[in-house]
Amino acid sequence: MATAGGGSVADPGSRSLLRLLSFCALLAGLCEGNSVERKIYIPLNKTAPCVRLLNATHQIGCQSSISGDTGVIHVVEKKEDLQWVLTDGPNPPYVVLLEGTLFTRDVMEKLKGRSGRIAGLAVSLAKPSPASGFSPSVQCPNDGFGIYSDSYGSQFAHCKAFQWNKVGDGLAYEDFSFPIFLLEDENETNVIKQCYRDHNLSPNGSAPAFPLCAMQLFSHMHAVVSTVTCMRRNLIQSSFTISPEVVCDPLSDFNVWSMLKPINTSRMLEPDDRVVVAATRLDSRSFFWNVAPGAESAVASFITQLAAAEALQKAPDVATLPRNVMFVFFQGETFDYIGSSRMVYDMEKGSFPVQLENIDSFVELGQVALRNSLELWMHTDPMSQKNETVLNQVEALLSTLEQSSAAVPTVVLRRLNQSQPLPPSSLQRFLRARNVSGVVLADHSDSFHNLYYQSIYDTAKSINVTYPAGQSPEEDLNFVTDTAKALAGVATVLARTLYQLAGGASFRDTIQADPHTVTRLLYGFLVRANNSWFQSILRPDLRSYLGDGPLQHYIAVSSPTNATYVVQYALANLTGKVLDLTREQCQNPSQVPTENKDLYEYTWVQGPLNANETDRLPRCVRSTARLARALSPAFELEQWGSTEYSTWTESRWKDIRARIFLIASKELEFITLIVGFGILVFSLIVTYCINAKADVLFITPREPGSVSY
């Protein structure tokens, strides 16, 4: 636009164009920045962190600073290599890549003592597993939450008789101020080592030249001090904030349970109804979050119980037995008996259809996969047997077990001295509430045979589950291993015992657990969850729960966990009945006059593949398999400092990740900062000058033929 004085100003269209070009340049810079980031950093995608857990009195686990911790990588393959990171290395802090065989309490205490030089730890898996064993759990698991205490059975309290887990070093119950990650992928471990060799390894112990290979670990935890502190903060947040920021969550999930004969779950059993309880645990843990294979710690025992439930259900006269049988799979037993204490609490409060007084006897499976010379040991409680009635009931229970095993050549039952205490077991929580005639079956007479109790090495190989080379996954699924045969023998003894305890006699010797069921369960839980059989027994919406590796058995805080669902549906399919119902009828059985949702659970599952193996044949399964809440009563009662119930919580976090990259020397970083700051100041000055002279620099050319007067 022309002015009367003949001057001119920058055209508004030119300014808009300038802003558009500036925005495009910024957008391009951001896109280029992402590309540059991918070129600088190598993310480590297959890692597992150590996270923070809390109970009534303290915190355990690990965490990083809020912005992550960075350190120069140093590979430690032998103890002598520690000297570099502890004292000699000139470029602290360091992130130690530790060989799995060196991940011991002794080494960790040395690193913990020099936390100023240690930014973090990355642990590689030891292959093969450490021959001498490795258990980061304590030597006396669940101490203080079982039946024995300073006021009751004090001679057995705190494992005074002997330590159940002799190889336990308690590492998982320590608190570390730096992040610790497990490297689950051997290829990623090799990439890190190659980066270390290329950049950090110098000859003759001299200081390596920059740039150096470094690792950054993010695992900042929100909760601190104890469960009492973090739950109080949760309560304050929820009371005064519209969008509260929760800092910790109680460990919780669901117990799985079923009845041999259906009961009406909408009301309590009559006092004279008698129930035989068969129990085992579902969960395990390790030092690292959600890495809990638990082969011997949990999986072998609950698989054995699943096979026993299937075998017992096939007995012709189960509907007429005078006593019922309840199968229970307790969740959270690793953390001070969360599942069993909650069920006892619900029974006492009348919130569960079976009451404590209905329990006739209690048979629990402990660790059963590592038997010596076919021996299976029968553990009982010496304190409750001071009552003559209980003593006679326990004697009858042991005799029934011995009778049931007489015709099973692969199992030899052994009695123990009556003065020996119970091992860590769910039975202890029931005995705290009521004198129950009970027994725990285990492969050990005293200390655990399991050298990898609650560790990352408690895997299929640790219980000798192996397969011939060259087989397809489907062939492995159906290959009957020696371990499967041995566990099927234990399942047979258990099923026959439960049959007798329920009042049966005629068909005892015909009850036989199926080794094919056991081998498929072992493969699915310990080798490959995503297999054809597991797919066939689950609901269609749960297909994604099955990964290509084994299932993990950490209780967690988001429930039900994958393993809990699979156990529930395995139990339903092994003991239930396939009905001729449509999907709509199965999901709403009240539409069918002959069905009763108070007696049964109804599940629409994917079913097996058809003959052409192109589509599945979905079906409705009716069973008594149900879920019951496994949340410690301490959180129902808001007794976060309880010594009666478990108080374990898990801290929340926002970001957990790890990556490697090259870092420059401090001097170069400082020079780069100064140069960058100088460029910034120069660009601001140039921008200011251009903006001040915009009316001169961006003159709009006059249109031809225009004249001003």
Side-chain angles (χ1 to χ4, degrees):
M1 177 180 177
T3 63
S8 59
V9 296
D11 184 14
S14 300
R15 292 183 180 271
S16 298
L17 179 61
L18 182 61
R19 292 192 187 100
L20 179 61
L21 291 173
S22 300
F23 175 76
C24 292
L26 176 62
L27 185 61
L30 290 174
C31 295
E32 182 64 23
N34 289 333
S35 176
V36 170
E37 181 179 358
R38 287 194 298 269
K39 292 178 180 178
I40 293 175
Y41 298 103
I42 299 177
L44 303 175
N45 299 315
K46 294 184 178 180
T47 61
C50 161
V51 303
R52 175 168 289 164
L53 301 176
L54 310 98
N55 66 10
T57 56
H58 61 286
Q59 64 184 30
I60 63 172
C62 323
Q63 77 154 353
S64 73
S65 62
I66 194 168
S67 58
D69 291 328
T70 303
V72 175
I73 295 171
H74 188 74
V75 176
V76 174
E77 297 177 328
K78 54 186 183 299
K79 286 189 176 182
E80 291 74 16
D81 297 335
L82 288 171
Q83 190 69 22
W84 183 266
V85 297
L86 295 177
T87 57
D88 297 348
N91 301 303
Y94 289 94
V95 170
V96 178
L97 174 52
L98 191 67
E99 289 295 317
T101 53
L102 295 177
F103 187 52
T104 63
R105 187 179 186 88
D106 176 53
V107 171
M108 292 304 297
E109 285 181 347
K110 290 179 180 178
L111 295 175
K112 190 176 182 180
R114 299 302 301 272
S115 57
R117 291 180 60 88
I118 306 299
L121 194 68
V123 181
S124 63
L125 282 168
K127 292 184 179 180
S129 302
S132 59
F134 171 71
S135 173
S137 184
V138 292
Q139 293 186 344
C140 189
N142 292 358
D143 184 24
F145 289 86
I147 187 175
Y148 308 118
S149 66
D150 294 333
S151 59
Y152 184 85
S154 59
Q155 66 271 37
F156 307 125
H158 316 301
C159 297
K160 289 177 183 176
F162 46 81
Q163 303 297 327
W164 291 105
N165 182 31
K166 280 189 175 179
V167 298
D169 61 12
L171 197 60
Y173 291 84
E174 293 290 327
D175 184 43
F176 295 92
S177 59
F178 49 81
I180 304 176
F181 279 60
L182 174 68
L183 302 175
E184 298 182 275
D185 188 343
E186 191 173 356
N187 292 329
E188 288 189 344
T189 302
N190 291 334
V191 168
I192 299 170
K193 288 183 176 180
Q194 187 60 50
C195 184
Y196 165 77
R197 287 190 291 265
D198 291 344
H199 299 279
N200 299 6
L201 194 59
S202 58
N204 304 321
S206 58
F210 287 93
L212 299 176
C213 189
M215 185 183 296
Q216 190 171 31
L217 303 174
F218 297 86
S219 63
H220 182 67
M221 301 289 134
H222 294 176
V224 294
V225 182
S226 68
T227 290
V228 176
T229 301
C230 77
M231 291 300 292
R232 185 173 64 243
R233 289 178 179 176
N234 287 350
L235 183 62
I236 293 172
Q237 286 272 346
S238 60
S239 300
F240 298 101
T241 309
I242 298 176
S243 301
E245 184 175 341
V246 176
V247 296
C248 69
D249 300 282
L251 294 181
S252 66
D253 195 23
F254 288 86
N255 298 324
V256 180
W257 67 284
S258 73
M259 302 298 295
L260 182 64
K261 297 184 292 183
I263 62 172
N264 192 325
T265 57
S266 64
R267 59 173 181 259
M268 303 296 108
L269 290 180
E270 296 298 325
D272 57 349
D273 290 336
R274 310 305 293 162
V275 175
V276 179
V277 176
T280 190
R281 67 171 56 192
L282 279 180
D283 68 304
S284 184
R285 70 164 302 200
S286 76
F287 187 90
F288 300 98
W289 181 76
N290 204 31
V291 181
E296 164 75 339
S297 304
V299 177
S301 57
F302 74 65
I303 283 176
T304 302
Q305 184 157 297
L306 286 169
E310 179 192 36
L312 181 58
Q313 194 71 49
K314 293 178 180 178
D317 60 341
V318 291
T320 61
L321 294 176
R323 289 180 284 278
N324 210 337
V325 177
M326 180 170 74
F327 294 95
V328 190
F329 302 79
F330 290 118
Q331 184 64 273
E333 297 301 270
T334 298
F335 294 96
D336 300 335
Y337 305 118
I338 293 174
S340 56
S341 63
R342 178 54 185 262
M343 181 165 283
V344 170
Y345 175 81
D346 287 342
M347 286 179 171
E348 291 177 324
K349 300 300 180 184
S351 303
F352 193 77
V354 179
Q355 304 298 289
L356 286 171
E357 54 265 28
N358 296 127
I359 298 176
D360 183 78
S361 52
F362 196 107
V363 182
E364 180 173 354
L365 286 180
Q367 300 177 62
V368 295
L370 297 176
R371 290 181 291 141
N372 290 335
S373 304
L374 310 179
E375 291 176 332
L376 193 65
W377 297 88
M378 299 182 289
H379 297 260
T380 59
D381 170 46
M383 297 300 296
S384 59
Q385 291 183 73
K386 291 181 179 180
N387 180 305
E388 188 175 352
T389 302
V390 176
L391 176 63
N392 294 333
Q393 291 173 342
V394 171
E395 177 62 32
L397 174 57
L398 299 183
S399 298
T400 301
L401 276 161
E402 289 169 338
Q403 294 168 18
S404 300
S405 66
V408 183
T410 58
V411 179
V412 178
L413 286 176
R414 300 290 190 198
R415 294 195 183 206
L416 288 161
N417 191 308
Q418 285 190 357
S419 63
Q420 182 168 314
L422 283 171
S425 53
S426 306
L427 174 58
Q428 293 200 33
R429 291 302 301 193
F430 283 80
L431 287 170
R432 283 178 70 134
R434 184 184 180 89
N435 274 347
V436 177
S437 62
V439 61
V440 177
L441 302 177
D443 55 22
H444 54 90
S445 60
D446 40 50
S447 298
F448 298 158
H449 290 168
N450 185 6
L451 297 178
Y452 308 108
Y453 180 72
Q454 293 181 5
S455 85
I456 54 179
Y457 303 112
D458 191 8
T459 61
K461 288 185 179 180
S462 73
I463 59 171
N464 304 314
V465 175
T466 57
Y467 302 90
Q471 289 191 161
S472 67
E474 195 67 21
E475 289 172 329
D476 285 346
L477 171 66
N478 294 291
F479 178 79
V480 180
T481 63
D482 291 339
T483 301
K485 295 174 185 176
L487 293 179
V490 178
T492 298
V493 172
L494 176 61
R496 292 180 181 182
T497 299
L498 296 173
Y499 177 75
Q500 281 191 266
L501 293 174
S506 304
F507 300 98
R508 184 194 70 184
D509 292 339
T510 65
I511 296 174
Q512 189 75 38
D514 187 357
H516 288 89
T517 294
V518 177
T519 208
R520 288 191 296 178
L521 288 166
L522 284 171
Y523 181 81
F525 281 106
L526 295 177
V527 181
R528 183 186 175 91
N530 189 13
N531 61 73
S532 60
W533 188 56
F534 273 13
Q535 288 283 4
S536 71
I537 66 175
L538 289 182
R539 297 195 320 245
D541 60 306
L542 298 179
R543 286 177 297 182
S544 61
Y545 280 42
L546 303 179
D548 289 334
L551 287 168
Q552 303 300 327
H553 303 282
Y554 172 64
I555 179 175
V557 296
S558 56
S559 55
T561 61
N562 299 10
T564 300
Y565 267 132
V566 176
V567 169
Q568 181 194 8
Y569 286 102
L571 181 61
N573 281 265
L574 292 172
T575 62
K577 181 180 179 181
V578 177
L579 301 180
D580 185 20
L581 297 179
T582 64
R583 181 170 185 167
E584 290 71 23
Q585 290 173 325
C586 188
Q587 294 175 341
N588 189 12
S590 58
Q591 298 176 354
V592 184
T594 57
E595 300 302 329
N596 188 335
K597 199 163 177 60
D598 289 333
L599 296 178
Y600 299 101
E601 285 286 308
Y602 298 82
T603 309
W604 186 258
V605 300
Q606 294 189 98
L609 292 169
N610 61 15
N612 297 326
E613 297 189 353
T614 54
D615 295 301
R616 292 196 173 273
L617 303 173
R619 55 193 185 183
C620 184
V621 176
R622 185 186 72 185
S623 73
T624 62
R626 294 180 171 91
L627 299 178
R629 191 68 174 153
L631 171 68
S632 172
F635 299 100
E636 294 280 321
L637 302 169
E638 294 190 357
Q639 296 176 358
W640 305 319
S642 173
T643 56
E644 171 71 13
Y645 299 112
S646 171
T647 56
W648 285 104
T649 54
E650 180 186 272
S651 174
R652 287 200 177 185
W653 60 82
K654 286 186 178 179
D655 190 19
I656 287 184
R657 57 193 171 98
R659 59 187 183 180
I660 63 173
F661 57 98
L662 296 180
I663 59 171
S665 65
K666 298 295 183 183
E667 293 79 5
L668 182 57
E669 289 179 348
F670 180 75
I671 292 172
T672 304
L673 175 65
I674 295 301
V675 171
F677 183 74
I679 293 174
L680 173 64
V681 172
F682 177 75
S683 62
L684 290 175
I685 294 173
V686 171
T687 303
Y688 173 79
C689 294
I690 292 176
N691 188 58
K693 300 295 183 178
D695 55 339
V696 177
L697 297 174
F698 302 105
I699 298 175
T700 304
R702 297 185 178 186
E703 295 180 4
S706 63
V707 180
S708 65
Y709 297 93

